[in-house]
Amino acid sequence: MSATAPLVEVRDLRKHFPVRRGLFGTGSGQVHAVDGISFAVAPGETLGLVGESGCGKSTAGRALLRLVQPSEGEIRFRGHDITRLNEPAMLPYRRSMQMIQQDPYASLNPRMTAGEIVEEPLVIHRMGSRVERQERVVQLFERVGLRPEQRHAYPHEFSGGQRQRIGIARALALSPALIVCDEPVSALDVSIQAQIINLLTDLQEELGLSYLFVAHDLAVIEHISHRVAVMYLGRIVELTDRTSLFETPLHPYTEALLSAVPIARVSARGRKRVVLSGDVPSPVNRPSGCHFHTRCPYAHARCRLEEPALRAVRDGHLVACHLHDAGPALPLARPH
Ligand code: SF4
C-alpha cells in the first residue's frame, strides 16, 4: 500500500431505486442497484469496474459524480466529503470530475456544432473570453486527433470514433482530475476501440488523469486498468491489481467471466473452465446470502445463508467468497 493520498474515495456507497410491483403496480420494493461498495482511485490511476449488464457499475459511476444522489455512504474528493453538497457547492468539484458516455451517437446534441459541444462546459462554468474559449477548443480538437476546421461540422458528419473524440475533448475542456468513462468504446468497432483506448492512455500519462473505467469487456478492462473491481448484483466481489485478477482470479464469478473470453483476447493463464448456469437474478429479488450462490459451481450450504464480506486474502487482493474466508474484512480498498 503506497502513501499516495487517494484522489477519490467511496465508502459503503448505496443507491436504491423504488419500484412498483404487482399486476396493478400497488406493491412496492427496491432495486439495490449499488449495495455497499467501497473503493478508492489514486491520482493517475485507472480503476476498471467490470461486470455483466445490470450489475450496478454504471450507476456506481454516476453516483460517484453525484449525477444520481447516493442513498447512503460517503464520497470524498481530495479528502472533502462531497456526498451531500448542494449544486452551488458542487460546482467547483464538477469542474474536476467529468464523464465520457457510452454512446457517442446519443450523447452529443445534434443541433450544436462539434465546436459548440466542446465549448459548452467552458460557457457554463464562465471560463475565459470568447476568443480564449475558441483557442481552447482548437487546442482540444488537435489534442484528441481532430482537425480544428472540423469544429464547424455537426455530429452526424462524423464517424463513431470521431464522435467519441468530440466527447473526450468536451470532457477535457475544464481540465478535470477524474473522468468516469462509462463503456466509452463498447459502441465502436474493435479497430477503433484500440485507437480510443490508446488516446485515453496517452492523455492519462500527459495530464495525470485518473479514470474510473466502467466496462463489461474484460479485454478492454485488461488493456487500460491498473486495478480492477468486479461487480455482481450491486456489490464488489473481487478487487485487485490487473495482473493478479487476470492470472490468479480468486472469486468464482471472476473465473467464470474470464473463461467466457476467447483466450486470444485476454492474457489469463492457467484459468479454469467455469461455465455459469442460469441468468443474472433480478436485482429486485436477489438471492439470499452470497448473491452468486444460484449460479456458483462451488456453492455450499453456508453460501445460501451468510453474505461473504470483502476480505484481503493477500496484500491488495480482496475477495468476497466463503472459499477465501481467512483474512480480515476490510471496509475500504485503498489504491496502490
Ligand atoms: Fe460461490 Fe459460496 Fe463463494 Fe458465493 S460464497 S462465490 S456461492 S463459493
Side-chain angles (χ1 to χ4, degrees):
M1 197 172 288
S2 86
T4 312
L7 177 70
V8 65
E9 280 182 278
V10 163
R11 292 182 185 157
D12 202 24
L13 188 73
R14 291 166 200 269
K15 180 61 190 175
H16 304 160
F17 295 103
V19 286
R20 292 258 166 236
R21 289 198 281 198
L23 187 58
F24 301 104
T26 48
S28 62
Q30 286 204 314
V31 176
H32 296 248
V34 176
D35 198 25
I37 64 170
S38 300
F39 61 81
V41 188
E45 183 188 40
T46 299
L47 177 67
L49 201 52
V50 68
E52 289 165 289
S53 174
C55 71
K57 56 191 189 302
S58 290
T59 304
R62 296 181 73 77
L64 172 67
L65 295 179
R66 294 276 322 277
L67 298 176
V68 293
Q69 180 58 31
S71 307
E72 289 175 45
E74 188 177 279
I75 304 160
R76 287 187 169 268
F77 187 81
R78 293 194 170 121
H80 301 285
D81 184 353
I82 62 163
T83 322
R84 283 163 199 89
L85 294 183
N86 60 24
E87 266 313 306
M90 265 305 289
L91 207 58
Y93 296 101
R94 295 231 175 272
R95 281 183 209 135
S96 301
M97 305 163 78
Q98 292 290 314
M99 185 167 201
I100 298 170
Q101 311 249 24
Q102 172 180 5
D103 185 353
Y105 296 91
S107 61
L108 305 179
N109 186 335
R111 286 180 288 280
M112 293 170 77
T113 65
E116 287 167 345
I117 289 168
V118 173
E119 185 190 359
E120 190 179 40
L122 298 165
V123 175
I124 291 169
H125 287 265
R126 299 194 178 132
M127 310 277 283
S129 65
R130 185 165 166 70
V131 172
E132 286 167 337
R133 290 198 302 268
Q134 288 301 314
E135 286 170 1
R136 176 80 174 135
V137 169
V138 167
Q139 180 195 40
L140 288 164
F141 266 62
E142 288 174 337
R143 185 60 201 87
V144 300
L146 294 168
R147 296 191 312 280
E149 59 271 25
Q150 289 179 291
R151 69 191 191 281
H152 305 298
Y154 286 86
H156 73 269
E157 297 174 67
F158 292 89
S159 68
Q162 286 175 326
R163 283 184 236 213
Q164 199 51 291
R165 289 175 194 269
I166 297 169
I168 293 168
R170 180 182 163 97
L172 292 175
L174 296 167
S175 303
L178 171 76
I179 300 181
V180 172
C181 307
D182 186 8
E183 299 270 13
V185 297
S186 59
L188 305 174
D189 293 344
V190 171
S191 61
I192 308 296
Q193 284 187 356
Q195 292 173 13
I196 297 295
I197 297 282
N198 289 340
L199 172 62
L200 289 171
T201 307
D202 290 348
L203 289 169
Q204 180 171 55
E205 276 177 23
E206 189 182 315
L207 304 171
L209 294 166
S210 300
Y211 295 137
L212 179 69
F213 198 97
V214 174
H216 68 278
D217 185 332
L218 276 165
V220 170
I221 285 282
E222 182 184 25
H223 204 85
I224 197 160
S225 306
H226 299 107
R227 290 184 307 135
V228 183
V230 180
M231 280 187 76
Y232 188 77
L233 282 178
R235 293 183 185 157
I236 291 176
V237 297
E238 185 158 9
L239 195 163
T240 186
D241 63 88
R242 169 180 53 189
T243 306
S244 299
L245 191 97
F246 283 87
E247 296 193 358
T248 53
L250 295 178
H251 198 282
Y253 179 59
T254 312
E255 287 180 354
L257 285 181
L258 279 170
S259 71
V261 185
I263 197 90
R265 294 200 67 215
V266 296
S267 65
R269 280 180 217 136
R271 60 184 176 175
K272 297 177 201 163
R273 181 88 188 126
V274 180
V275 180
L276 287 181
S277 57
D279 296 326
V280 183
S282 160
V284 183
N285 279 317
R286 297 172 307 164
S288 59
C290 173
H291 296 334
F292 189 54
H293 83 251
T294 52
R295 303 171 81 197
C296 178
Y298 311 106
H300 47 284
R302 186 181 171 200
C303 305
R304 278 182 278 280
L305 302 172
E306 202 182 317
E307 178 190 337
L310 192 63
R311 293 171 188 275
V313 173
R314 294 185 211 121
D315 189 23
H317 195 151
L318 281 69
V319 62
C321 173
H322 293 311
L323 300 174
H324 304 281
D325 254 359
L330 290 190
L332 177 65
R334 288 184 174 277
H336 284 255

